[in-house]
């Protein structure tokens, strides 16, 4: 896996103005100010190419998939299934049928907890997570704990926001059945040492689920080289539409897992006595899927590929450096999450104003950030902050965006300082 | 800076936000409730001491939150002392309507006119809950509920 390299300061990795022109929303204003969008970690904006792919699908090629025996249905089925192949290549899975469509990462994790968890985990079996997980990688395991009596263990993070590896290793043992961790923190940007995590988890016979929601937009991912057993992400953070997410699972595991939901599309045959399941991936895709959303996600990945994740990584690393420097010079500002290995996210607090007040004030300057606990309340407690302001960087951000944020913070200082 | 922002963050509010009144726990409290706003992480506890007639003999709070939430709680505690349950409930309704801009015929009485500085939240729909959380929590305490959550 490649680490994003820092571009020479000021040397753009690509023509950022041309890229920005692909995103219609970046042309609008917010409170009569040019829009400064620094909330891509929550959900990214969509390029014209994705919007067009969606409208073209509805205008020229829409029907249900896997059913109709007519030209349009066959064409849309081919496009839909083509996206599965696009995703396979994007994360380098071994087989196209290892790519399961879901609504979002949350559903993907729940699918694993429900299907894999209920079948293969029992009383006393252990699932290891970390302190920096998103609620969607905490709550499904708590539900499984309450139902099946599994034990949930939580690996600590340091004051810098890094996973403390010796403490993580100490949690692993013969009872560890699953390690479920974020590849990259949505609050602090920390990139976790997943190669190491996977190696150690596999050494005790545990399976590994990576929550790739944040990493999938910034870092090239090769699930085979990593050797992870499950990898999940949401389309909407990857410049695609909402309503479509992905579960990657190794064939052998997916084959052994029972269906998550029953219904149409997931069966091979149905009688009132007995039904048999369809083959992968359809076994896990009951009902009419998010057809056009999947096609939109395919277009989004094509778009990201056309720029290249290496170039995106370099551009964003340069911007993250710039943002970190600029923000560090703001009086009273504390950055939460200072791991050496991080990407595209800066969380911070100001010692004179609450994050919620900050967000309201800078919103009026046209700056969109997120303020709150970022669906990571346990991490907030660990870092001893009630909430943070989070500025997150997407492939379309530029230095002017960071300058606008810093200028807007001066207004907060003016009121509260 | 926009006029709406100046209207929202008036001097009085900033001052109460920095130096909240009645900001302490109370061992004598007869009623106590915790309020959470999971969206932004605001958390507070309201301590109410009711006397034999059901009047508010004392009220205080502790918590973490934004300037609007803390200022609203602080101003609320200044105004509640000596009021009956019913009066407190009526004040809540009037304050709530002022913040949301709803017209349900609840007018703020003249003796609590200073609460009007918080009316600026009307222009900020996402911030209305920050101003009303202390009041919702106070009503929960009056009604003997332990925890409330606004979303
Ligand atoms: C690390 C991480 N995991 C999981 C999620 C949940 O994603 P979704 O809400 O799209 O299911 C998010 C999104 O906020 C995230 O950042």
């Amino acid at each position: 896996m490649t680490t994003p390299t820092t571009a020479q300061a000021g040397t753009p990795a690509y023509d950022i103005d041309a890229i920005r022109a692909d995103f219609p929303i970046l042309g609008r204003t917010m409170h009569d100010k040019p829009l400064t969008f620094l909330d891509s970690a929550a959900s990214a904006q969509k390029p014209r190419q994705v919007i067009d792919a969606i409208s073209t699908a509805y205008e020229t090629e829409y029907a249900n998939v896997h059913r109709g025996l007519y030209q349009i249905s066959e064409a849309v089925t081919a496009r839909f299934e083509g996206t599965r192949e696009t995703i396979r290549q994007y994360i380098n899975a071994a087989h196209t049928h290892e790519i399961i469509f879901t609504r979002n990462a949350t559903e993907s994790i729940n699918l694993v907890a429900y299907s894999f968890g209920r079948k293969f985990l029992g009383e006393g079996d252990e699932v290891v997570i970390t302190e920096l997980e998103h609620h969607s990688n905490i709550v499904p395991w708590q539900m499984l704990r309450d139902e099946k009596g599994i034990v949930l263990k939580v690996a600590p993070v340091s004051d810098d926001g890094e996973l403390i590896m010796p403490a993580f290793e100490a949690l692993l043992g013969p009872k560890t059945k699953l390690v479920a961790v974020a590849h990259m923190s949505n609050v602090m940007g920390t990139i976790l040492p997943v190669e190491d995590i996977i190696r150690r988890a596999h050494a005790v016979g545990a399976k590994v689920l990576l929550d790739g929601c944040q990493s999938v937009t910034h870092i090239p991912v090769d699930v085979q080289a990593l050797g992870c057993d499950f990898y999940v992400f949401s389309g909407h953070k990857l410049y695609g539409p909402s309503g479509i997410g992905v579960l990657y699972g190794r064939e052998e595991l997916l084959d052994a897992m029972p269906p998550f939901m029953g219904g149409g599309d997931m069966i091979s045959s149905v009688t009132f006595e007995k039904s048999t399941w369809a083959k992968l991936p359809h076994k896990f895709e009951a009902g009419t899927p998010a057809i056009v959303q999947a096609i939109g996600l395919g277009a989004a990945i094509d778009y990201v590929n056309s720029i290249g994740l290496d170039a995106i990584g370099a551009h964003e690393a340069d911007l993250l450096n710039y943002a970190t420097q600029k923000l560090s010079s703001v009086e009273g500002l504390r950055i939460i999450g200072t791991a050496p290995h991080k990407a595209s996210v800066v969380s911070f607090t100001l010692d004179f104003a609450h994050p919620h007040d900050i967000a309201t004030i800078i919103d009026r300057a046209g700056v969109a950030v997120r303020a709150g606990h970022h669906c990571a309340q346990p991490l907030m407690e660990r870092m001893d902050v009630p909430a943070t302001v989070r500025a997150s960087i997407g492939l379309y951000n530029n230095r002017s965006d960071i300058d606008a944020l810093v200028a807007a913070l001066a207004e907060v200082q003016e009121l509260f300082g | 800076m926009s006029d709406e922002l100046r209207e929202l963050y008036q001097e009085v509010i900033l001052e109460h936000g920095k130096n909240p009144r009645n900001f302490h726990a109370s061992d004598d409290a007869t009623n106590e409730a915790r309020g959470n706003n999971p969206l932004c992480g605001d958390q507070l506890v309201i301590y109410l001491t009711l006397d034999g007639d059901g009047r508010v003999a004392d009220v205080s709070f502790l918590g973490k939150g934004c300037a609007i939430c803390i200022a609203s709680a602080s101003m609320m505690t200044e105004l509640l002392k000596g009021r009956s349950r019913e009066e407190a409930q009526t004040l809540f309704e009037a304050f709530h309507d002022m913040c949301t801009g709803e017209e349900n015929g609840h007018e703020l009485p003249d003796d609590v006119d200073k609460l009007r500085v918080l009316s600026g939240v009307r222009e900020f729909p996402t911030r209305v809950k920050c101003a009303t959380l202390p009041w919702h929590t106070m009503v929960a305490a009056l009604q003997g509920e332990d925890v409330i959550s606004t979303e």
Side-chain angles (χ1 to χ4, degrees):
Chain A
M1 193 171 48
T2 35
T3 310
T5 46
T6 309
Q8 293 283 309
T11 316
Y14 43 79
D15 181 355
I16 186 67
D17 292 333
I19 294 294
R20 288 177 69 82
D22 287 337
F23 290 80
I25 205 170
L26 296 181
R28 66 158 281 176
T29 56
M30 189 161 82
H31 299 298
D32 297 327
K33 306 278 167 29
L35 172 63
T36 299
F37 189 77
L38 290 169
D39 196 22
S40 299
S43 201
Q45 299 300 347
K46 322 304 172 199
R48 170 65 64 200
Q49 289 81 341
V50 168
I51 299 166
D52 284 349
I54 292 169
S55 25
T56 302
Y58 280 127
E59 285 170 13
T60 67
E61 220 171 60
Y62 184 78
N64 210 330
V65 290
H66 306 140
R67 285 175 173 79
L69 296 170
Y70 50 91
Q71 192 187 16
I72 302 176
S73 176
E74 280 167 17
V76 74
T77 302
R79 289 272 285 158
F80 177 80
E81 289 300 326
T83 288
R84 218 187 285 278
E85 170 58 16
T86 303
I87 295 166
R88 183 199 70 73
Q89 288 175 20
Y90 188 70
I91 61 171
N92 196 34
H95 307 288
T96 314
H97 57 252
E98 291 175 325
I99 306 299
I100 312 294
F101 286 125
T102 61
R103 275 189 308 140
N104 47 39
T106 302
E107 184 173 300
S108 302
I109 296 171
N110 276 277
L111 193 163
V112 174
Y114 188 93
S115 169
F116 174 83
R118 280 191 174 180
K119 171 126 188 217
F120 296 106
L121 304 190
E123 180 135 5
D125 285 341
E126 294 170 3
V127 172
V128 176
I129 61 174
T130 78
E131 277 180 338
L132 56 68
E133 299 311 316
H134 187 280
H135 293 166
S136 63
N137 195 30
I138 300 174
V139 181
W141 309 116
Q142 289 175 329
M143 289 164 68
L144 191 66
R145 176 189 63 194
D146 296 345
E147 190 187 319
K148 302 281 280 188
I150 63 156
V151 177
L152 191 54
K153 296 204 156 180
V154 184
V157 299
S158 69
D159 292 344
D160 280 343
E162 284 187 286
L163 180 64
I164 302 173
M165 275 310 273
F168 167 74
E169 279 174 57
L171 295 181
L172 301 177
K175 290 196 164 157
T176 316
K177 291 288 161 18
L178 181 73
V179 172
V181 297
H183 191 179
M184 173 179 156
S185 161
N186 65 312
V187 178
M188 305 182 296
T190 315
I191 296 169
L192 276 76
V194 288
E195 292 90 342
D196 232 17
I197 290 172
I198 292 166
R199 192 160 37 81
R200 291 177 197 280
H202 282 171
V204 298
K207 303 288 183 257
V208 179
L209 178 148
L210 292 185
D211 173 356
C213 263
Q214 297 296 331
S215 55
V216 78
T217 66
H218 308 292
I219 314 170
V221 170
D222 180 333
V223 290
Q224 291 186 81
L226 284 171
C228 58
D229 300 285
F230 300 105
Y231 185 88
V232 306
F233 64 93
S234 291
H236 66 95
K237 294 180 204 266
L238 188 53
Y239 311 100
S242 56
I244 186 80
V246 170
L247 165 65
Y248 156 80
R250 281 198 301 109
E251 177 183 41
E252 171 199 332
L253 286 169
L254 293 176
D255 266 338
M257 285 158 54
F260 176 40
M261 285 191 276
D265 263 352
M266 55 74 68
I267 45 81
S268 161
S269 73
V270 175
T271 65
F272 283 115
E273 288 68 44
K274 183 174 164 51
S275 300
T276 54
W277 315 140
K279 288 201 173 63
L280 291 176
H282 306 291
K283 179 170 89 177
F284 292 108
E285 295 178 0
T288 298
I291 301 166
V292 177
Q293 288 88 332
I295 291 171
L297 175 57
I301 294 176
D302 288 343
Y303 181 79
V304 166
N305 283 335
S306 74
I307 305 171
L309 264 182
D310 286 332
I312 293 170
H315 171 78
E316 292 180 351
D318 174 60
L319 216 47
L320 179 64
N321 266 341
Y322 183 73
T324 306
Q325 269 170 28
K326 284 275 172 170
L327 288 169
S328 301
S329 66
V330 174
E331 209 184 298
L333 187 144
R334 179 178 154 222
I335 291 179
I336 309 296
T338 47
H341 200 32
K342 64 177 277 188
S344 303
V345 175
V346 200
S347 262
F348 61 87
T349 57
L350 290 180
D351 60 15
F352 50 83
H354 189 276
H356 214 182
D357 295 314
I358 299 169
T360 293
I361 294 166
I362 70 178
D363 159 50
R364 296 280 152 156
V367 181
V369 294
R370 181 145 176 215
H373 55 58
H374 318 291
C375 297
Q377 280 179 345
L379 178 65
M380 295 291 115
E381 213 153 288
R382 159 63 187 91
M383 302 311 271
D384 201 21
V385 287
T388 73
V389 178
R390 179 186 68 185
S392 54
I393 294 166
L395 62 85
Y396 38 62
N397 287 115
N398 59 16
R399 290 190 173 205
S400 307
D401 291 330
I402 306 301
D403 294 340
L405 168 64
V406 173
L409 291 177
E411 295 194 12
V412 180
Q413 168 102 36
E414 198 184 309
L415 266 179
F416 280 81
Chain B
M1 192 174 305
S2 73
D3 291 345
E4 284 119 359
L5 273 182
R6 296 217 179 267
E7 181 71 26
L8 179 64
Y9 291 107
Q10 295 183 41
E11 243 349 281
V12 189
I13 293 178
L14 295 174
E15 201 276 321
H16 271 274
K18 273 183 209 154
N19 306 301
R21 321 295 193 267
N22 304 307
F23 191 69
H24 55 80
S26 162
D27 289 339
D28 305 327
T30 52
N31 297 50
E32 190 179 313
R34 179 176 294 277
N36 295 319
N37 181 343
L39 214 59
C40 57
D42 290 348
Q43 288 185 350
L44 44 86
V45 185
I46 305 278
Y47 303 90
L48 277 177
T49 311
L50 299 180
D51 66 17
D53 303 329
R55 280 188 184 273
V56 179
D58 198 12
V59 50
S60 63
F61 79 107
L62 272 183
K64 290 183 200 165
C66 63
I68 307 295
C69 175
I70 299 298
S72 173
S74 171
M75 298 175 76
M76 179 184 80
T77 60
E78 281 193 320
L79 292 170
L80 279 182
K81 253 179 246 180
R83 293 185 197 267
S84 69
R85 272 172 185 279
E86 294 70 29
E87 286 166 343
Q89 176 74 35
T90 309
L91 266 191
F92 160 74
E93 279 155 19
F95 179 78
H96 185 272
D97 288 357
M98 177 193 80
C99 292
T100 57
E102 285 166 35
E103 309 252 346
N104 296 320
H106 306 296
E107 271 294 314
L108 275 183
D110 288 343
D111 64 334
V112 296
D113 225 25
K114 60 205 268 194
L115 288 177
R116 289 189 198 285
V117 297
L118 281 158
S119 64
V121 294
R122 236 185 268 174
E123 302 301 321
F124 296 81
T126 56
R127 306 305 302 277
V128 169
K129 296 222 160 107
C130 306
T132 56
L133 178 67
W135 288 84
H136 278 289
T137 312
M138 181 274 293
V139 168
L142 275 182
Q143 293 170 351
E145 291 164 26
D146 300 338
V147 184
I148 63 130
S149 175
T150 64
E151 252 186 297

